[in-house]
């Protein structure tokens, strides 16, 4: 149980375009989901906390207009990277909270060319 | 006060040996301490977690030792295997809070065959 999926697993986009990443909790309902960014050989950096039906809470230094988060239902949160630039290339990971735990998705590798 | 300090940064252990990773925290409000294992290109997976009302928890070859007075906790991997080679992250959170985790910086473990 407690499976979280992400789609796509990897994506390449051109500079200036937008890309959407989906995070789904497959077998449980998650009122809270999190979005992380991870650079090579580094820890997970929390970008934002997403609560179903309300606006996301962004961590300090994260541009909310660039990283749009929508938590439309208890099983789906989306992260849209708008007007992507090469420096946005990274590994993006979501997690869904249930009963104290966070369950992580497999991650999405974004490359902006 | 929100930091979780993790050491060592990297660790090399012979097959069959014991791998030990340490974490320390400052915020006494933390009351949940999970450990995650992450393989390259994958999302973190929950290994084992402990609450501060116990001093030790064991699951298979993985053991968490918890020292509340010293505000430290550690992961022991007994009989380490090459398949255990991965990056390990400790984390801390407040159960009654927002499910938000504070992650350590990670330890890259390599188990030699």
């Amino acid at each position: 149980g407690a499976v979280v999926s992400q789609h796509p697993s990897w994506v390449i986009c051109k500079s200036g375009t937008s890309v959407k990443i989906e995070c789904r909790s497959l077998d449980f309902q998650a009122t809270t989901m999190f979005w992380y960014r991870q650079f090579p050989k580094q820890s997970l950096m929390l970008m934002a906390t997403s609560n179903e039906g309300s606006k996301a809470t962004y961590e300090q230094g994260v541009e909310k207009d660039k990283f749009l988060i929508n938590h439309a239902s208890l099983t789906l949160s989306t992260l849209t990277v708008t007007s992507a630039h090469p420096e946005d290339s990274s590994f993006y990971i979501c997690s869904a909270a249930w009963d104290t735990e966070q369950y992580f998705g497999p991650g999405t590798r974004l490359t902006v060319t | 006060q929100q930091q979780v300090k993790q050491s060592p940064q990297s660790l090399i252990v012979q097959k069959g040996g014991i791998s030990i990773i340490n974490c320390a925290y400052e915020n006494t409000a933390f009351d949940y301490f999970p450990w995650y294992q992450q393989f390259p290109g994958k999302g973190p997976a929950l290994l084992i977690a402990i609450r501060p009302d116990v001093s030790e928890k064991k699951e298979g070859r993985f053991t968490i030792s918890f020292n509340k007075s010293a505000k430290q906790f550690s992961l022991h991997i007994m009989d380490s295997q090459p398949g255990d080679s991965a990056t390990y992250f400790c984390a801390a959170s407040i159960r009654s809070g927002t499910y938000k985790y504070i992650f350590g910086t990670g330890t890259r473990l390599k188990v030699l065959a």
Side-chain angles (χ1 to χ4, degrees), chain B residues 55-90:
Chain B
S55 59
E56 186 175 283
K57 183 175 181 181
K58 183 176 181 179
E59 289 184 4
R61 295 185 294 110
F62 301 94
T63 299
I64 299 179
S65 297
F66 186 84
N67 186 328
K68 189 173 182 178
S69 60
K71 292 184 284 186
Q72 295 175 348
F73 58 109
S74 60
L75 175 69
H76 292 62
I77 306 174
M78 313 300 287
D79 188 26
S80 299
Q81 299 297 312
D84 297 329
S85 297
T87 300
Y88 293 81
F89 294 97
C90 63

Side-chain angles (χ1 to χ4, degrees), chain A residues 32 34 36 38 41-44 46 49 59 91 93 97-107 109, chain B residues 9 32 34 36 38 41-46 49 51 89 93 95 98-101 103-106 108:
Chain A
T32 304
F34 300 87
Y36 295 85
Q38 188 177 36
K41 300 182 182 181
Q42 292 192 22
S43 189
L44 291 83
L46 180 64
T49 302
E59 295 297 302
F91 192 52
I93 310 171
W98 184 68
D99 189 24
T100 306
E101 309 275 1
Q102 282 191 36
Y103 295 91
F104 286 83
R109 173 75 58 196
Chain B
Q9 188 175 356
Y32 186 68
Y36 284 85
Q38 186 181 30
K42 305 293 182 184
L46 178 67
R51 294 182 174 136
F89 294 97
S93 75
R95 278 178 294 163
T98 60
Y99 293 101
K100 193 171 171 178
Y101 283 2
F103 279 93
T105 49
R108 300 182 75 195

Side-chain angles (χ1 to χ4, degrees), chain A residues 4-7 20-25 30-35 48-52 54 56 68-80 94-96:
Chain A
V4 177
S5 70
Q6 272 183 252
H7 179 80
K20 181 185 285 188
I21 303 169
E22 290 188 351
C23 176
R24 293 182 184 272
S25 56
T31 54
T32 304
M33 290 185 171
F34 300 87
W35 287 95
T49 302
S50 165
N51 290 293
E52 187 264 339
S54 62
L68 300 180
I69 292 171
N70 186 349
H71 195 152
S73 75
L74 288 173
T75 59
L76 173 64
S77 178
T78 60
L79 168 68
T80 301
C94 72
S95 72

